[in-house]
Amino acid sequence: MKDKLLVEAVETLLNKNIKYEYDSAFIYYGMSSWLASSGFLHGAKLFKKYGDEELSHAHKVIDYLIDRNCCAVVPDVTKASIEFTDVKDILLKSYDHEKQVEDNWKIVANTAFKNLDHMTYDLALWFIREQREEIVKFRDLLDKLEALAGLSGSNYFIDEEFKKYL
């Protein structure tokens, strides 16, 4: 086999992030299922779309590892919950989850930077920018949900907000 083009610490972190991205996909698929069964059809489509995006993120990391002569580890995924109390619960969990994913990518960025691995550092920055967008999106949806609280038809209106992100 050709020499690996990543230090072991970076390779290990990238493989962990493959798992995080796969887990993220299944978290969002579980949320999509709950939204569909609760009548939030646009929300269900949106969270399925989010799950699909997370899978593409995992594949981006897998391709990167292969390009750097490393072995990508295909992980076991964590079983996704389909039990939520309401839309706010889903949005809060999504918001918190995206902040955790951002923290995971910051660790990759810092480790790559310390090892003068500019390519992986650039990859990690791409993911961090992506996380910023996701965090802002969920924060905005939480704000809109809060503004709708107590209004008649609030479920309809938040589902219409979900539709805007499709």
Side-chain angles (χ1 to χ4, degrees), residues 63-135:
D63 291 343
Y64 181 78
L65 282 165
I66 291 168
D67 289 348
R68 304 304 292 160
N69 296 333
C70 295
C71 186
V73 177
V74 179
D76 291 334
V77 294
T78 304
K79 183 178 178 182
S81 175
I82 55 170
E83 302 292 326
F84 303 97
T85 55
D86 54 23
V87 173
K88 185 175 183 177
D89 184 34
I90 285 177
L91 292 176
L92 284 170
K93 286 179 177 167
S94 298
Y95 179 78
D96 290 341
H97 178 73
E98 293 296 337
K99 289 190 309 184
Q100 181 59 56
V101 171
E102 180 182 44
D103 289 344
N104 295 338
W105 280 107
K106 286 177 181 176
I107 293 167
V108 173
N110 288 335
T111 304
F113 189 80
K114 287 176 187 172
N115 284 281
L116 303 176
D117 181 350
H118 302 294
M119 289 181 62
T120 304
Y121 180 70
D122 185 57
L123 176 75
L125 290 179
W126 182 88
F127 276 100
I128 291 167
R129 284 189 294 276
E130 181 77 12
Q131 290 313 119
R132 182 191 60 80
E133 293 173 14
E134 299 304 314
I135 290 166

Side-chain angles (χ1 to χ4, degrees), residues 5 27 145:
L5 301 174
I27 286 167
L145 184 65

Side-chain angles (χ1 to χ4, degrees), residues 95 131-141 165:
Y95 179 78
Q131 290 313 119
R132 182 191 60 80
E133 293 173 14
E134 299 304 314
I135 290 166
V136 167
K137 182 177 8 180
F138 285 119
R139 184 199 62 210
D140 290 349
L141 283 166
Y165 290 97

